[in-house]
Amino acid sequence: MKKNPSSTLPPGSTGQHEALQAKEEIFLAQERQNPESPYYQGNVDPAKQRRRFLLGSVAALGAGALARPAFAEAPPGAIEREVFPDPTKHQGVGVGVDDGGYGRRSQFETEVRWRYPTKTTESSWSMTPLASSMGIITPSGLHYERHHGGITTIDPAKHVLYVHGMVKEPKKYHMEAIRRFPMMSRICFLECSGNGLTEWIKPTLKSVQGTHGLTSTSEWTGVPLSTILDESVLKSGAKWLLAEGGDAAVMTRSIPIEKAMADCFLAYGQNGEAIRPEQGYPLRLVVPGYEGNMCIKWLRRLEVSDMPFMTREETSKYTDLLPDGTALQFSFTMEAKSVITYPSGEMLLQKPGFYEITGLAWSGHGLVKKVEVSVDGGKNWREAKLHGPILPMCHTRFTIPWEWDGKEAILQSRCIDETGYVQPTIGELIEKRGTNGPLASVYHLNGIQSWKVASTGEVTNVHHY
C-alpha cells in the first residue's frame, strides 16, 4: 500500500466530519436547555420541568379513547400525551389503545442514534447514545448500525442459507430448518472496527456518542455455527470460511475455521424478539470479539476453503495502515477498551462534591478482569467496581466514587482483560501505527479516552498522554 504523507483530511472527509460535528451541536443545543439532562448548562432548579408544548388542537386516539389535546412531535418510538399536575385525578390511557399492540417508550426519553453524514444513506453508519445507557444491554432500537448497501428486506419464508466448498455434504437450509436446531443465547458486544476513527490525530467530536458510539451489546439467540458445519462435515485441510450476506453490497468476510467452530453462531433473535431488519433479519452471523463487519448480516452463503478469500473487505478495506505505508491484514480481534460515559464530553458538573463515575469496558479476548480510573491524567489509578453480569466478550459496567474538589481534572479509564493486556494510550498506539493517511489509522483505536473537567465544571474531549 502506498504511503500517503498528508495529515489533513480529504475534502470529502472534512465535509462529513463537519456535518457530524454540526449534528452533534444540534443535539447538544437541545440537551443544554433540558434541566434533566447531564448536558444541561443552566443552574439546577428542581422546580424546572422538561418543557412540553401544547399545540391546542384535538386528536382522536382510536376506538374507545377520549379525545385529548395533541402535542408537539413526540420523540421517536414514543407518543406525546398530556401530563396532568395530579395523575391520581385522571384516568390513564387504556391498554393497547394507541400503541397498536407493540409498546412505546416514554415521551420523556429522547435518545436516538446519529447517522454519520456519508454521501448516501445506504452506505453509512449510526452511533449508539452511550451517555444515557443503563446496565450493559443496548435497546435494539439504539443498537449501532453499519451498512454498505442499505437495509435489505427479506421474506424469511423464502430465505435460504447455502453451505458448500470443502465439505462432504453441501447443504441448504430454510429458516424453518435452522430454527429446528438446538438453540443458544449469548450476550456479547459488537463494535465497528472504525469506532473512534475521527479521534486518532486530535479530539474531533465532543460527546461520548460521537467518540465511542459504534459499539453496542445485545442478547443474541440462534444456532451454533459448529452445528451447521458439522452437518456438512468439513474436509481435511479446511481452514477458512467465507460468510456472504444477501444485501446489495454482498458483504463478504473470511473467517478462520477454528474461530467458526469455537464460538460463532447464527442469530435469528435479538433481545427477546426476532432480529431487526437493520441488524440482519432474518439471519445474521455473530463472531464474538471480532470486528463487527465480520458479523455478516442477511447471511445467505457459507463457503469452506483452505485459504482466505481475499475479498475487498480484507484487502482494500478493514486493514490497518502501518508507519511504513504497508497494511496489516486480518486484525480481527477488538482489543481491550473502556470509556467513561459519565461524566463525559460536554456535560456540566454543577458544583464540587460527590459524583459517581461510570462507564463501559470490553475485550474481544474474553473477560474484563479489571478497570482502573484516574482523575489526574494518569498519575494515579484506582480500581473501579465491576457490576455483573461480567461476561466474556461483553460490555461490562464499572463505577467508582469521586469527590470533586472543584479543581481542573483529567478523567481516564483503562481496561485490563483476562489475558493481562492493558488498554494503551492513544500515543502508544500512534507510536506503533504512525499518523499516515488523512485520518492517520482508521481502524482499531482502543486508546485511553481523556475527559477534561474544567474548574467551571465543563467537561471536554482532550488528548492527554
Side-chain angles (χ1 to χ4, degrees), residues 288-326:
Y290 278 22
E291 53 189 24
N293 64 78
M294 302 181 74
C295 300
I296 298 295
K297 294 180 280 191
W298 312 289
L299 185 69
R300 70 171 186 177
R301 190 167 72 90
L302 297 169
E303 182 178 353
V304 180
S305 175
D306 58 353
M307 61 181 66
F309 288 78
M310 308 302 278
T311 70
R312 187 197 75 149
E313 313 302 341
E314 49 218 27
T315 52
S316 173
K317 308 296 182 184
Y318 300 116
T319 60
D320 300 327
L321 193 60
L322 300 175
D324 64 359
T326 60

Side-chain angles (χ1 to χ4, degrees), residues 250-268:
V250 193
M251 182 73 178
T252 50
R253 285 306 309 261
S254 299
I255 299 165
I257 280 292
E258 287 185 359
K259 178 66 175 178
M261 297 296 286
D263 61 359
C264 296
F265 59 100
L266 311 180
Y268 48 73

Side-chain angles (χ1 to χ4, degrees), residues 321-443:
L321 193 60
L322 300 175
D324 64 359
T326 60
L328 177 68
Q329 288 181 294
F330 307 126
S331 53
F332 299 138
T333 304
M334 303 305 293
E335 302 285 359
K337 190 172 180 178
S338 68
V339 64
I340 293 172
T341 56
Y342 180 84
S344 57
E346 292 303 293
M347 293 181 181
L348 176 67
L349 305 186
Q350 292 289 339
K351 59 183 179 180
F354 175 81
Y355 291 89
E356 185 175 56
I357 295 172
T358 186
L360 294 167
W362 59 98
S363 172
H365 286 291
L367 289 167
V368 171
K369 192 69 174 180
K370 184 166 61 175
V371 175
E372 295 177 329
V373 172
S374 174
V375 298
D376 56 11
K379 295 178 182 176
N380 298 283
W381 295 90
R382 288 190 295 146
E383 185 171 347
K385 177 183 178 181
L386 303 184
H387 295 255
I390 302 171
L391 303 171
M393 304 174 195
C394 185
H395 282 172
T396 299
R397 172 69 61 181
F398 68 86
T399 61
I400 191 168
W402 177 43
E403 192 74 23
W404 181 44
D405 59 8
K407 298 179 181 177
E408 183 178 299
I410 300 289
L411 308 185
Q412 299 175 321
S413 65
R414 65 183 181 193
C415 175
I416 297 95
D417 69 19
E418 63 178 326
T419 71
Y421 177 91
V422 181
Q423 183 181 356
T425 67
I426 294 176
E428 289 170 338
L429 288 175
I430 288 177
E431 285 182 9
K432 295 180 179 178
R433 303 272 294 276
T435 54
N436 300 317
L439 297 172
S441 287
V442 173
Y443 306 114

